[in-house]
Amino acid sequence: MEDTIAAIATAYGEGGIGIIRVSGPDTLSVLNKIFVSRSKKIVNRRMTYGHIVDPDTNRKIDEVLCVYMKQPHTYTKEDVAEINCHGSMVSLRKTLELALKNGARLAEPGEFTKRAFLNGRLDLSQAEAVIDLIKAKTDKSFDVAMDQLSGGISAEITSIRADIMDLLVNLTVNIDYPDEDIEELTYTQMEENLLQIGDMIDKLAATADSGKIIKEGLRVSIIGKPNVGKSSLMNRLLRETRAIVTEIPGTTRDTIEELVSIGNIPLHLTDTAGIRQTENKIEQIGIEKSKQSFNDADLILFVVDSSRELSAEDWEIMDYIGSRKTIVLINKIDLAGVWTEETKALIKEKLPAAEILETSMTERTGIHQLEEAIQDMVYSGSVKQNDSLLVTNVRHKDLLDQASGFIKDALAMTRMREAMDFIEVDVKSAYEALGEIIGETVSDDIINEVFSRFCLGK
Ligand code: GDP
């Protein structure tokens, strides 16, 4: 028998209302002790006006709206209550204390969602989507999490697993009732099936790169010598695109990080202070930070000034960039430039993989092309922007890769006509790895690990 848990479910701080959530078999009994209303009897699923009253002192703690929801059609599949208090931490803390004194215990982080999972209302990938939903910062990452919560990933995994199960059944029949005639047929058929299954797994795994970027954002480092237009570029992007957050905590004068959203892709933009050698201690700290952000970047925007000759400093920066993913912005094309086609060719030769765009920050040329180039980069390959079935979870990606590895091993053995018992072991392992994604074959350790990422009251 589970106990009854309670926690503050809304964010800490001041708000119009704040909610205490209670879940478990004693929910109604807790409410009956601390909630007093004129209607006396608490009715299932009816929002009721009343007061939270300390039963020991008869003191009114807060004026509230309270709803009681009888199991099983609730978030946790248990009896649940939500008490809408005034959104002051004092009221919330006192109401929670009363609930704890009268039959509930404090919930652990993620425990409500963990119960939803353990009671079979959500599978593991759906429970993980709840964290992503709560933490989503852009429309797209919210959509992707919503799709996962609705069972998008689960349905795909379940369907691949069903195919693997068919294969396992075939294998078992062959192992148990060997028959020379149908054996060769089985191997041929299995090869085909394993190829198909491996392909489906790999396709899903391939969405993980885009998925990760949509969830966590793309780290972009802006680099270039002084006065080429780096801050102008940063400001331009902030103004033209919807800035979601400005001034991330921990920002220093040396590296400024901003978060903007381009075509639903969150970009963490860092304007690097420069990476040149210097004797100055303070400057050195700034340079270390710039180097760090440069090294961590998924994409580098290298800005050069077309009104000045390409200098030794530009070459030095290009050496530093090496083979990193880069877009070169030839800026200030509105000015009478000194650049010729040869100058561009030199850059192209030095950075062959880089994309080169001409821009003017003052006249806003090339910004749109830059946004498109970034989007093309993120949504490259098989992933289309409208696809919401994206793998955004590292745990899922690792398991998909594992499953793919097992299928590949099984395929190699099938081609070598190895004993079916051996092949069966790998196919089973693939089946189990995929099962871990939706939580069908997971250990308690993994479950605890997943839910420890939640915050209180979720
Ligand atoms: P940073 O040192 O690389 O960050 O360069 P800034 O963004 O501070 O720009 C240096 C100077 O160049 C400023 O006076 C900008 O107004 C100017 N500037 C930046 N981009 C352009 C451009 O595309 N065209 C022109 N004409 N001036 C620009």
Side-chain angles (χ1 to χ4, degrees), residues 306-345:
S306 65
S307 69
R308 288 188 282 164
E309 297 282 357
L310 206 53
S311 69
E313 210 177 322
D314 290 313
W315 286 106
E316 216 176 281
I317 295 173
M318 283 191 273
D319 275 335
Y320 196 67
I321 290 174
S323 58
R324 305 279 302 273
K325 196 148 204 133
T326 307
I327 299 177
V328 183
L329 300 180
I330 301 180
N331 193 35
K332 305 198 189 181
I333 52 159
D334 54 294
L335 297 179
V338 296
W339 280 40
T340 58
E341 283 305 314
E342 280 85 76
T343 329
K344 266 187 253 173

Side-chain angles (χ1 to χ4, degrees), residues 154-186:
S154 315
E156 185 69 15
I157 296 292
T158 307
S159 139
I160 300 175
R161 283 183 98 219
D163 289 349
I164 299 182
M165 186 45 92
D166 284 347
L167 198 66
L168 277 172
V169 170
N170 257 335
L171 270 167
T172 314
V173 171
N174 262 275
I175 293 165
D176 294 345
Y177 307 98
D179 179 333
E180 305 279 314
D181 289 342
I182 63 166
E183 196 179 88
E184 182 51 36
L185 240 168
T186 310

Side-chain angles (χ1 to χ4, degrees), residues 225-232 331-332 334-335 360-362:
K225 61 186 181 188
N227 275 319
V228 291
K230 296 184 299 296
S231 1
S232 308
N331 193 35
K332 305 198 189 181
D334 54 294
L335 297 179
S360 161
M361 294 310 141
T362 39

Side-chain angles (χ1 to χ4, degrees), residues 399-416:
L399 288 164
L400 284 166
D401 287 345
Q402 278 178 35
S404 169
F406 287 126
I407 294 293
K408 287 197 176 76
D409 289 348
L411 184 63
M413 284 197 279
T414 307
R415 284 181 172 149
M416 290 191 293

Side-chain angles (χ1 to χ4, degrees), residues 59 67 89 106 174 178 197 291 299 306 340 361:
R59 265 194 63 173
V67 61
M89 284 319 291
L106 187 63
N174 262 275
I197 290 167
K291 275 189 179 159
L299 171 68
S306 65
T340 58
M361 294 310 141

Side-chain angles (χ1 to χ4, degrees), residues 413-433:
M413 284 197 279
T414 307
R415 284 181 172 149
M416 290 191 293
R417 302 294 186 250
E418 299 244 14
M420 299 239 180
D421 311 50
F422 293 154
I423 302 173
E424 190 195 21
V425 173
D426 274 317
V427 178
K428 248 192 196 144
S429 301
Y431 185 79
E432 278 166 15

